[in-house]
Amino acid sequence: AQTVTQSQPEMSVQEAETVTLSCTYDTSESDYYLFWYKQPPSRQMILVIRQEAYKQQNATENRFSVNFQKAAKSFSLKISDSQLGDAAMYFCAYRRGSSGDKLTFGTGTRLAVRP
Amino acid sequence: EAGVAQSPRYKIIEKRQSVAFWCNPISGHATLYWYQQILGQGPKLLIQFQNNGVVDDSQLPKDRFSAERLKGVDSTLKIQPAKLEDSAVYLCASSPRLRPGEQYFGPGTRLTVT
């Protein structure tokens, strides 16, 4: 069974600084996807960024980028120029490459942004 | 494009009572998911529909939980009878056929069982 581990229950960053959230996963599959989801206090989950396992290039979406280390099964999220609106729970998630398969989530990291 | 709609947003019931949640996915999304998110944990899949057929319900407590997706659009999740440990946020998500890895979530229903 696939597992996703987020070892940082809470993180804090100063506004405008950079923060990195960690995620490791365990799988025997070669075809899979990895995601970072953001869940603000309103509780609506929002997709932040996705990474296909077959792609070597790290995904980037504006201020959000990932460091995907396939051999180490590591998938960290870097938030640059942190903003107050980035404060939320961040969940790392895994999905097998099979069409329509479920997401397996980690336990989340709560990010606080200090003004 | 309208997002995933869920109702109610909040529900408080006593144990052994019944409750139902409703979800309307994004128009055209073939796949619909129901997740249970207990406080302090990540969401856990309860059931997944492809159109109106069940793809995965392996983690659905079938003695008390049931779900249906009539006509492959709206879906209802029911708990009967509820237990204290069912207190959680119930999230509905949907994904498009051509991008099945991208799931779009609704605002969730926060259930409190007393």
Side-chain angles (χ1 to χ4, degrees), chain A residues 35 37 39 42-47 50 91 95 99-103 105-108, chain B residues 9 33 35 37 40-43 45 48 56 59 89 100-103 105-107 110:
Chain A
F35 306 85
Y37 278 87
Q39 190 175 43
S42 68
R43 303 202 76 88
Q44 186 138 11
M45 301 270 280
I46 304 167
L47 176 64
R50 61 177 278 173
F91 290 96
R95 188 184 77 85
S99 176
D101 204 6
K102 67 179 182 184
L103 289 171
F105 286 88
T107 53
Chain B
R9 292 295 309 277
Y33 310 81
Y35 289 88
Q37 186 177 20
Q41 299 182 18
L45 181 72
Q48 175 184 340
D56 183 353
Q59 298 194 80
V89 175
E102 294 181 10
Q103 294 188 18
F105 286 80
R110 182 188 296 274

Side-chain angles (χ1 to χ4, degrees), chain A residues 40-60:
Chain A
S42 68
R43 303 202 76 88
Q44 186 138 11
M45 301 270 280
I46 304 167
L47 176 64
V48 174
I49 197 165
R50 61 177 278 173
Q51 174 81 43
E52 292 87 346
Y54 64 86
K55 289 187 177 180
Q56 292 186 335
Q57 186 173 7
N58 289 324
T60 299

Side-chain angles (χ1 to χ4, degrees), chain B residues 23 25 32 49 51-53 67-76:
Chain B
C23 172
L32 184 147
F49 292 94
N51 297 311
N52 61 352
E68 61 181 7
R69 189 182 184 196
L70 299 176
K71 299 180 180 179
V73 182
D74 292 9
S75 178
T76 302

Side-chain angles (χ1 to χ4, degrees), chain A residues 5-69:
Chain A
T5 302
Q6 293 180 251
S7 58
Q8 306 155 315
E10 296 183 353
M11 292 284 286
S12 180
V13 64
Q14 190 75 35
E15 194 176 5
E17 297 295 312
T18 296
V19 65
T20 298
L21 308 183
S22 301
C23 172
T24 58
Y25 59 95
D26 186 25
T27 183
S28 58
E29 304 284 338
S30 59
D31 181 21
Y32 55 88
Y33 298 83
L34 297 165
F35 306 85
W36 279 98
Y37 278 87
K38 171 184 177 182
Q39 190 175 43
S42 68
R43 303 202 76 88
Q44 186 138 11
M45 301 270 280
I46 304 167
L47 176 64
V48 174
I49 197 165
R50 61 177 278 173
Q51 174 81 43
E52 292 87 346
Y54 64 86
K55 289 187 177 180
Q56 292 186 335
Q57 186 173 7
N58 289 324
T60 299
E61 288 287 343
N62 301 313
R63 298 183 294 107
F64 299 86
S65 61
V66 298
N67 184 4
F68 174 45
Q69 301 291 326

